[in-house]
Amino acid sequence: MTLKIAILDDEKHACETLKWQLKQIEADIELIGVFQKPLVAIEALKKNKPDLIFLDIEMPGLNGFQFLEQLDLPEVNVVFTTAYDKFALNAFRVNAIDFLLKPVDISDLKVALERATTNKSTNQPELIGKLFKELSRSHSSNAKIGLPSVHGIDFVNCSEIIYCHSESNYSRIYLDSGQKLLASKTLKDIEEMLPDDLFFRVHNSYIANLSKVVRYLHNNGGSLLLENDAEIKVSRSKKKELLERLESF
């Protein structure tokens, strides 16, 4: 049976290289489309459904997971093409998701085609969704933000922040190192700067790094115990959403 293949990558040279490599392989395949724009690919592939998509992860407008959600073809096999770092590659392996590391090696490409032909790929939507959450969290924790103060601007990794506390028109930032920075920003301003997949406004006066939570406590209407032994209040209105976020985290 002929394997119908599509390629989606916003980099033209990556598309052309993969297209050329596929032509060098002796296999019963048909290339039904090469796309650089996710929305164009969605429109075309809903009419002419592929068996396999070679899919870039980071693209303008939609990332790979958002593309698959909108394409809504749960039976299609997917091989992600990525230039991601070591952490990301481990996330792919742990979640049993097929991937090719750029620049693509033709021997790896042959293996990916064989897996797709024998239907050994495991591209269930829930696995792919889990993968993208892990990648997003990794990128968020590695991101830096600039915290303005009366002395200048402190640049800190988001992963180093344990929690933030409102002090009127200022915010106190508590770090892993034990350092406490006073930023000349309101807590609302700080909230907008922080990645929302990692941080949550648990109270009008507090933002918590969910990866630093040790325990949820029921006392006094609800509070969080954090890695630095700080205990911060949780608003009743935030409790349900917080517990849902912690469970998925």
Side-chain angles (χ1 to χ4, degrees), residues 23-34:
K23 288 182 178 179
Q24 309 311 305
I25 298 173
E26 293 183 4
D28 190 8
I29 60 176
E30 177 189 358
L31 187 59
I32 64 171
V34 179

Side-chain angles (χ1 to χ4, degrees), residues 57-58 63 84 87-88 91 129-143 195-198 249:
I57 294 178
E58 291 296 338
N63 65 33
Y84 271 37
F87 173 90
K130 181 181 177 184
L131 167 70
F132 271 79
K133 281 185 179 180
E134 290 186 25
L135 294 178
S136 176
R137 189 172 299 153
S138 168
H139 290 170
S140 296
S141 63
N142 290 327
D196 58 9
D197 61 307
L198 195 62
F249 212 87

Side-chain angles (χ1 to χ4, degrees), residues 133 137 200 210 216 237-249:
K133 281 185 179 180
R137 189 172 299 153
F200 185 66
L210 298 182
Y216 174 80
S237 61
K238 298 284 188 176
K239 177 181 175 181
K240 182 180 178 182
E241 185 179 356
L242 171 64
L243 292 177
E244 290 173 352
R245 289 283 302 275
L246 288 174
E247 184 178 351
S248 65
F249 212 87

Side-chain angles (χ1 to χ4, degrees), residues 2-3 11 36 39 54 89 107 139 155 159 164 203 231:
T2 301
L3 191 70
E11 297 178 350
Q36 290 177 251
L39 293 179
F54 289 100
L89 298 183
S107 60
H139 290 170
F155 292 93
S159 60
C164 310
H203 187 277
E231 185 177 332

Side-chain angles (χ1 to χ4, degrees), residues 175-206:
L175 304 180
D176 279 333
S177 63
Q179 189 177 7
K180 304 170 187 177
L181 302 177
L182 185 63
S184 53
K185 291 273 190 182
T186 66
L187 199 63
K188 185 177 186 300
D189 293 330
I190 298 296
E191 182 181 15
E192 292 174 353
M193 296 169 65
L194 294 170
D196 58 9
D197 61 307
L198 195 62
F199 291 85
F200 185 66
R201 183 83 173 262
V202 300
H203 187 277
N204 284 340
S205 298
Y206 296 102

Side-chain angles (χ1 to χ4, degrees), residues 106-119:
I106 197 163
S107 60
D108 293 334
L109 180 58
K110 289 179 180 178
V111 172
L113 285 175
E114 288 172 3
R115 285 174 61 86
T117 302
T118 55
N119 201 30

